[in-house]
Amino acid sequence: MAAAQRRYFAHPQHLLLRTTYKSTSRQACDICCAKLSGLVGYRCNACDFDIHEACADYFKETISFFAHPWHTLTLSCMPTENKGSICDLCREVCPTGKFVYRCIQCAFDVHPLCTLLPQTIRSPLHPQHDLNMVPATGHCSACREDLDVWHYRCGFCLYKVHIRCVSGVPSSGASQITNAAQNNALAQRSRSTAVTKFLLKQSFMFTINLATGGLASPVLAVLEAALD
Ligand SMILES: [Zn+2]
Ligand SMILES: [Zn+2]
Ligand SMILES: [Zn+2]
Ligand SMILES: [Zn+2]
Ligand SMILES: [Zn+2]
Ligand SMILES: [Zn+2]
């Protein structure tokens, strides 16, 4: 039996109340930014703070992450003065008031969901070899546009591809960073089409479950439920 209230490290000032969100609820999770409607989460009424139970259980206060191996990353609320800060992995906006994993020293920010992106995957676009997430420059072998710093690359034949292109599921509007910087709502929508589509692709889900020992599967289930 889950507790009706819980303390949560990322919102230490108040106890959070266990809540089953109505199917018409418009609240979104402050960690993963996906909808809470029809799902169980924890809420602080005073601060309008909401999180999925799955996200509260899975996302730890500090993590070590392959894309920033030098320092520990800390789950932090994006301060309102940091308008326009973007995720170092997917290059989309980190909305103010929502959570990111940060290294303050290096100004490295990454969406909590982007920490689920596996270091090594097998893509349907390039099934013959493993692809690794690396930082470099060049052009995407799928869409021909400039690559973001972090992307997936084959070590054998130099096939390279955007995170948003690698699943083989086309997502429109994911690269409009400059416009999206002014608009958190738009940023959230495009992220739900790019990274979420990636995370929910069957073969990648398998890889993520392997990498996390199955611990992330409740988060993937929540994303799946929030998508439709
Ligand atoms: Zn969540
Ligand atoms: Zn509060
Ligand atoms: Zn991201
Ligand atoms: Zn650092
Ligand atoms: Zn691409
Ligand atoms: Zn290859």
Side-chain angles (χ1 to χ4, degrees):
M1 187 64 204
Q5 293 188 315
R6 80 189 265 176
R7 288 227 165 264
Y8 186 57
F9 66 85
H11 192 78
Q13 56 273 50
H14 302 116
L15 274 173
L16 303 181
L17 200 66
R18 192 169 203 271
T19 306
T20 302
Y21 292 82
K22 293 197 181 80
S23 59
T24 52
S25 164
R26 300 176 59 83
Q27 306 291 344
C29 174
D30 284 313
I31 296 181
C32 75
C33 296
K35 289 185 292 187
L36 281 145
S37 52
L39 298 167
V40 176
Y42 286 87
R43 169 163 178 81
C44 176
N45 268 318
C47 306
D48 197 22
F49 175 90
D50 299 276
I51 49 175
H52 290 114
E53 183 172 47
C55 290
D57 288 340
Y58 177 73
F59 291 105
K60 301 289 173 245
E61 185 165 12
T62 58
I63 58 163
S64 54
F65 186 49
F66 69 84
H68 196 76
W70 307 278
H71 304 114
T72 299
L73 305 181
T74 304
L75 191 64
S76 325
C77 190
M78 189 49 93
T80 38
E81 62 270 21
N82 266 49
K83 221 176 218 160
S85 173
I86 54 173
C87 171
D88 279 83
L89 251 65
C90 74
R91 311 304 294 173
E92 289 179 21
V93 169
C94 298
T96 57
K98 304 285 183 185
F99 283 87
V100 289
Y101 278 104
R102 325 192 69 176
C103 173
I104 294 186
Q105 221 175 317
C106 306
F108 181 91
D109 291 319
V110 59
H111 295 122
L113 283 186
C114 288
T115 66
L116 293 176
L117 293 168
Q119 186 167 15
T120 303
I121 53 162
R122 201 50 88 93
S123 166
L125 298 177
H126 190 71
Q128 58 272 50
H129 302 124
D130 279 347
L131 302 179
N132 291 302
M133 176 99 78
V134 294
T137 53
H139 292 92
C140 175
S141 304
C143 74
R144 301 280 151 204
E145 287 175 27
D146 282 348
L147 284 166
D148 299 326
V149 177
W150 285 93
H151 58 270
Y152 284 103
R153 182 174 285 233
C154 175
F156 292 102
C157 53
L158 296 180
Y159 182 88
K160 39 197 190 265
V161 63
H162 285 118
I163 295 169
R164 63 173 184 268
C165 292
V166 76
S167 70
V169 184
S171 66
S172 56
S175 62
Q176 305 305 316
I177 298 152
T178 41
N179 297 338
Q182 276 91 47
N183 191 332
N184 284 346
L186 179 65
Q188 284 175 43
R189 207 171 329 123
S190 67
R191 185 139 46 88
S192 68
T193 58
V195 173
T196 308
K197 264 182 193 165
F198 177 110
L199 296 175
L200 293 179
K201 194 171 171 66
Q202 209 64 45
S203 59
F204 297 160
M205 265 210 247
F206 182 78
T207 308
I208 294 163
N209 280 329
L210 257 176
T212 61
L215 289 177
S217 67
V219 176
L220 298 176
V222 154
L223 293 178
E224 212 162 19
L227 204 63
D228 34 57

